[in-house]
């Protein structure tokens, strides 16, 4: 009986969390006027089959705002244990598509979780800087984000967040061309990953530095529209 009540309570809590997340998504869309801009239409098709999404990290809102913009594509987001394990946030993170990572010590569990999502055709969003940008200056990428890519030969899609989350001002996600990386070549793994990471880093911040909407580029709300 107790187990049954526990299952019912858990189901109710899960439904409530999804309802809250849906309402919050609607408000964020209205408050920040979110849009997605694709520089290459092939990214929309690649996302349908699963890919590693990488982006710059401007705010703690990024991990919620970006998946909301990419809806209905289900995106799993990598989040540090520092936030995942907070008492008032953990019930949400456990029931929504978030993958915890411990940045204070070697942690391979997130790689397995990310690979499982990718195998199911889902996307995995990673912020390779590992921390928020400060004063408009980006941090160097940590090359570990490429481990799932290496194991599964998954495509990488660079993205850039433009805007400062000012109320009722346009917040844009610029999605770049999918990148196919050669990570299984001969040589020292750390050097191969570092070279590929630097390539991805250049592409993300190239997108971040591009001019805002041009009349010749596609501007839509959803990758599956």
């Amino acid at each position: 009986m107790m187990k049954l009540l526990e299952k019912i309570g858990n189901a109710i809590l899960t439904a409530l969390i999804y309802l809250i997340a849906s309402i919050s998504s609607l408000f964020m869309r209205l408050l920040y006027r979110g849009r997605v801009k694709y520089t290459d239409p092939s990214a929309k098709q690649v996302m349908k089959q699963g890919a590693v999404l990488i982006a710059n990290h401007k705010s703690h809102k990024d991990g919620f705002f970006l998946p909301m913009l990419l809806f209905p594509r289900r995106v799993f987001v990598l989040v540090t244990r520092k936030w995942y394990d907070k008492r008032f946030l953990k019930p949400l993170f456990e029931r929504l598509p978030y993958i915890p990572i411990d940045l204070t010590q070697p942690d391979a569990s997130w790689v397995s979780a990310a690979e499982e999502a990718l195998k199911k055709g889902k996307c995995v969003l990673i912020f390779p800087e590992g921390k928020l940008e400060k004063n408009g200056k980006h941090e160097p990428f940590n090359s570990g984000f490429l481990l799932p890519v290496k194991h599964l030969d998954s495509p990488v899609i660079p993205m850039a967040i433009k805007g400062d989350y000012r109320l009722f001002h346009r917040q844009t996600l610029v999605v770049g061309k999918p990148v196919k990386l050669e990570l299984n070549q001969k040589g020292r793994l750390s050097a191969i990953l570092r070279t590929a990471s630097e390539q991805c880093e250049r592409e993300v911040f190239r997108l971040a530095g591009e001019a805002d909407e041009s009349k010749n580029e596609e501007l839509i709300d959803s990758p599956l529209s």
Side-chain angles (χ1 to χ4, degrees):
M1 185 63 177
M2 291 300 295
K3 288 185 177 180
L4 177 60
L5 291 175
E6 184 178 343
K7 287 182 179 180
I8 293 174
N10 186 60
I12 293 173
L13 179 58
T14 299
L16 181 61
I17 286 174
Y18 270 92
L19 177 61
I20 293 172
S22 298
I23 294 173
S24 300
S25 293
L26 176 61
F27 274 105
M28 287 192 76
R29 192 176 281 273
L30 294 173
L31 292 176
Y32 301 116
R33 302 176 61 216
R35 289 290 184 91
V36 182
K37 182 172 73 172
Y38 291 90
T39 63
D40 190 301
S42 67
K44 290 180 286 183
Q45 295 303 317
V46 172
M47 282 186 190
K48 292 180 181 180
Q49 300 167 9
V52 172
L53 314 178
I54 56 172
N56 55 329
H57 202 7
K58 298 174 70 71
S59 165
H60 291 303
K61 300 182 181 76
D62 296 339
F64 184 71
F65 188 69
L66 270 63
M68 178 270 292
L69 284 180
L70 296 171
F71 181 83
R73 167 54 56 191
R74 188 170 173 81
V75 177
F76 285 75
V77 184
L78 209 64
V79 60
T80 174
R81 281 278 180 191
K82 174 183 176 182
W83 288 98
Y84 190 95
D85 289 335
K86 286 185 180 294
R87 187 170 60 179
F88 62 95
L89 289 177
K90 192 167 185 177
L92 281 74
F93 283 135
E94 288 179 333
R95 290 166 174 81
L96 295 173
Y98 287 86
I99 299 173
I101 178 174
D102 191 340
L103 297 178
T104 64
Q105 59 184 353
D107 179 13
S109 63
W110 75 270
V111 179
S112 298
E115 289 178 0
E116 191 64 30
L118 290 166
K119 288 175 183 177
K120 294 178 180 178
K122 311 300 183 184
C123 289
V124 177
L125 172 61
I126 302 176
F127 300 102
E129 291 171 279
K131 60 181 71 174
L132 298 180
E133 298 175 6
K134 293 183 179 179
N135 301 319
K137 295 181 179 180
H138 74 268
E139 298 288 335
F141 279 14
N142 297 302
S143 60
F145 79 90
L146 289 169
L147 289 175
V149 179
K150 181 183 186 304
H151 296 164
L152 299 179
D153 197 27
S154 300
V156 175
I157 300 180
M159 307 188 302
I161 306 164
K162 298 179 70 67
D164 298 312
Y165 290 99
R166 296 169 57 199
L167 293 181
F168 306 112
H169 285 74
R170 176 74 70 205
Q171 191 79 9
T172 301
L173 176 64
V174 184
V175 180
K177 182 179 180 180
V179 178
K180 194 70 172 177
L181 299 170
E182 296 296 333
L183 301 179
N184 293 305
Q185 54 189 295
K186 293 182 179 180
R188 190 155 49 95
L189 178 59
S190 59
I192 293 171
L193 293 181
R194 172 49 54 192
T195 299
S197 175
E198 291 172 350
Q199 176 186 345
C200 291
E201 181 179 342
R202 288 192 297 270
E203 183 59 20
V204 166
F205 292 104
R206 182 189 68 79
L207 291 172
E210 284 186 345
D212 289 328
E213 295 114 45
S214 87
K215 58 185 178 182
N216 294 322
E217 290 179 320
E218 182 181 14
L219 187 60
I220 60 179
D221 289 318
S222 166
L224 304 183
S225 297

